[in-house]
C-alpha cells in the first residue's frame, strides 16, 4: 500500500492485515486494517500508530510523504496494542515530538513503554491543537471502549478520526465506503459493522447514546468518519451514526436463535421440534451449534435476534462446558432487551438447564421458565413438549418484541445481511 489522501493534506498511512483470523479470540474471516493518519500541515501531525508487526508499513507510508523526523505532534486516541505498539519505533524517528493523549492514556502508556524521555501534553474534551491551518479538537470517549479512549475532530475538514468506534474488521484494497460497496455490497459492509459492534461495543450502548448526543450538542459538522479499522465513511457518514444509534437502542430482529451443544445428539434432537414450534407461531428461527461455530459468530447471532433458546446437556450435574463458556462470554458483553429460555437432556441427574437459567438471571435477562428437560433420549411425548414450548416461547417473543420495536414486527426491517 501507499499513503492515501483522504482530505486535502490528510493521509491514511496505515497497514492492512490480510492474514489475521483470530483477533484476541474474535474470529476475523476478512482480516482487518490498522488505520492511522498523517496531517501534512505546518506542524506535521500523526494520529495513532499501528500494531507492532506492521510498524515498517506505516513508517514507509509516512516516508513517502515526509521525513518522519519532521513529525512534531503524535496524537494517541487509544492505547490498545493494535494501535500503540509501534509508538516506540515512531518516537525513535521523531524524538522531539509531543504526544497528545488523555490522562488515563498516559498512565496506561507508562505500563507499556519507558516514556520518561518523551514529551506529553495531556488533553481533555474541548482542548485543541492547532497545526497551522487545521485545528484538532479532542473528545474524550471513556469506556468506548477503553478508559483512555478519545476521538480527534479536524474542524476545517469536518473529519472525525474515531479510533475503534465505527470501525470494522475488514482487509480491503478499498479505503472508503463508496469504493468498498461498489466492489462488494452495502450489506457486506453493514454486516461487518454489526459483527464488530456485537463483539466489542455491545456492553457500551448507554455510553454510545450519551456520546452521540454530546456530539450533536457540540454541533460538530461531520462529513467524514475515519476509524482505526476498516473502511472510512465518506459517502454517507450519517448512515453509520444512525446504525450506531439503532444498535445502541438494542434494535433486534423478531427472531429466535437456538444456540446449543450436544453429547450424544439428544439435546440436538430437541432443536427440531423446538424449531418447528417456533415457526408455527410465525417467528423466524435459526439454529446454531456451538462447537461448529466460532464464538464471535454465535454472539452476533444472539445479538441480532430478539430471543435465544440455549440448549445444554447436563454433564456432571452442571452445564456442558462449551455452553458454559458461551454464556460466560455473553455475560461479559451484557446483552439487554433479549428474551431467554433453556432446554436440554440429562441422564441420571439434571442441573444444566437450571444453571443456564441462573446465568440468565445474573445477566438480568427476562426468561421463560422452566424450559424443557428430557431424560436420556427424547420420546414422542418429549417432542410434543418441545414443540409446545417452542410455540409458547415464540408467542412470548412476539409480545416482548413489541415493547422495544414493534414497528419492525414481522421482520420488515432486518438486522441481518
Ligand atoms: Fe482496535 Fe481497542 O483496539
Amino acid at each position: 500500500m501507499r499513503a492515501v489522501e483522504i482530505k486535502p493534506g490528510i493521509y491514511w498511512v496505515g497497514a492492512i492485515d490480510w492474514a489475521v483470523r483470530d483477533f484476541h479470540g474474535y474470529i476475523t474471516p476478512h482480516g482487518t486494517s490498522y488505520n492511522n493518519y498523517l496531517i501534512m500541515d505546518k506542524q506535521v501531525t500523526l494520529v495513532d500508530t499501528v500494531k507492532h508487526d506492521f510498524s515498517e508499513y506505516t513508517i514507509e507510508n509516512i516516508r513517502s510523504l515526509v521525513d518522519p523526523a519532521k513529525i512534531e505532534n503524535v496524537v494517541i486516541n487509544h492505547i490498545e496494542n493494535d494501535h500503540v505498539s509501534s509508538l516506540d519505533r515512531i518516537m525513535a524517528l521523531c524524538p522531539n515530538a509531543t504526544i497528545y493523549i488523555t490522562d488515563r492514556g498516559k498512565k496506561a502508556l507508562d505500563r507499556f513503554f519507558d516514556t520518561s524521555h518523551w514529551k506529553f501534553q495531556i488533553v481533555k474534551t474541548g482542548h485543541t491543537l492547532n497545526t497551522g491551518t487545521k485545528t484538532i479538537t479532542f473528545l474524550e470517549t471513556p469506556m468506548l471502549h477503553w478508559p483512555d479512549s478519545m476521538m480527534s475532530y479536524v474542524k476545517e475538514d469536518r473529519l472525525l478520526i474515531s479510533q475503534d468506534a465505527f470501525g470494522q474488521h475488514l482487509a480491503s484494497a478499498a479505503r472508503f465506503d463508496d469504493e468498498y460497496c461498489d466492489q462488494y455490497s452495502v450489506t457486506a459492509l453493514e454486516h461487518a459493522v454489526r459483527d464488530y459492534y456485537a463483539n466489542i461495543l455491545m456492553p457500551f450502548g448507554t455510553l454510545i447514546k450519551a456520546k452521540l448526543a454530546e456530539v450533536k450538542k457540540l454541533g460538530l459538522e461531520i462529513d467524514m468518519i475515519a476509524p482505526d479499522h476498516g473502511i472510512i465513511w465518506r459517502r454517507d457518514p450519517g448512515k453509520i451514526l444512525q446504525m450506531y444509534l439503532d444498535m445502541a437502542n438494542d434494535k433486534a430482529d423478531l427472531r429466535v436463535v437456538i444456540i446449543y451443544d450436544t453429547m450424544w445428539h439428544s439435546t440436538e434432537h430437541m432443536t427440531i421440534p423446538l424449531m418447528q414450534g417456533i415457526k408455527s407461531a410465525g417467528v423466524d428461527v435459526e439454529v446454531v451449534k456451538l462447537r461448529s461455530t466460532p464464538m464471535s459468530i454465535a454472539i452476533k447471532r444472539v445479538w441480532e435476534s430478539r430471543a435465544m433458546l440455549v440448549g445444554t446437556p447436563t454433564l456432571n450435574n452442571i452445564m456442558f462446558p462449551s455452553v458454559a463458556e458461551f454464556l460466560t462470554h455473553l455475560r461479559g458483553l451484557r446483552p439487554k432487551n433479549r428474551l431467554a429460555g433453556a432446554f436440554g437432556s440429562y441422564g441420571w441427574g439434571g442441573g444444566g438447564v437450571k444453571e443456564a437459567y441462573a446465568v440468565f438471571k445474573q445477566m438480568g435477562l427476562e426468561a421463560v421458565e422452566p424450559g424443557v428437560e428430557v431424560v436420556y433420549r427424547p420420546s414422542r411425548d418429549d417432542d410434543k413438549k418441545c414443540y409446545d414450548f417452542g410455540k409458547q416461547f415464540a408467542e412470548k417473543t412476539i409480545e416482548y418484541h413489541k415493547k422495544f420495536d414493534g414497528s419492525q414486527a414481522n421482520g420488515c426491517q432486518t438486522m441481518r445481511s
Side-chain angles (χ1 to χ4, degrees), residues 253 255-258 302 305-309 338-340 393 397:
D253 285 341
R255 182 186 305 110
V256 176
V257 60
I258 299 175
V302 166
S305 305
R306 182 55 74 200
M308 68 171 170
L309 274 179
R338 301 295 187 271
L339 192 65
F393 188 79
T397 300

Side-chain angles (χ1 to χ4, degrees), residues 86-101:
S86 56
L87 183 60
D88 53 345
R89 296 286 318 278
I90 300 281
M91 292 305 292
L93 300 172
C94 53
N96 294 317
T98 300
I99 297 171
Y100 289 75
I101 191 167

Side-chain angles (χ1 to χ4, degrees), residues 23 78 80 82-83 145-146 164 196 229:
F23 196 100
H78 177 31
E80 193 165 3
D82 50 329
H83 305 297
H145 69 122
W146 274 26
D164 280 329
Y196 190 94
H229 295 288

